[in-house]
Amino acid sequence: MITSNSEDSVFLFDAFRLGKEPNGGSNFKPRLVKVRVANAAQRSAILRKAKILKESVKFKNVYVRPSHTAAERTHIRGLYDIVRKKKNETGQEYYIDRRGPVSQ
């Protein structure tokens, strides 16, 4: 159980590293950790609070992201390609929200 107080409790079913263990060397990246929780509400709570984790000094290099299907990953990659292209064409900053690329 992960918790800061009783109303924020999250029960983990499982947590494990993905991929193969590196064969030594100094140039390796830590492997992803997959975490399974009890239900969608707990998943949403974790994703909502990821920003708090990012703002802490100790965990600033920890990234929390949802799992996506292959089609969703392709769609998101396409959105980032559009943002890059628009930024190069106009020099203006863009970001992606639920509706797609948006200028600032």
Side-chain angles (χ1 to χ4, degrees), residues 58-77:
K58 186 175 179 181
F59 298 107
K60 68 179 182 178
N61 293 322
V62 174
Y63 299 92
V64 178
R65 65 179 178 87
S67 182
H68 292 291
T69 65
E72 289 170 329
R73 289 191 304 269
T74 302
H75 176 71
I76 292 167
R77 193 174 309 116

Side-chain angles (χ1 to χ4, degrees), residues 45-56 59-60 62 64:
I46 290 171
L47 292 172
R48 256 194 323 275
K49 293 183 179 198
K51 184 178 181 182
I52 296 169
L53 186 69
K54 189 72 177 164
E55 292 170 350
S56 74
F59 298 107
K60 68 179 182 178
V62 174
V64 178

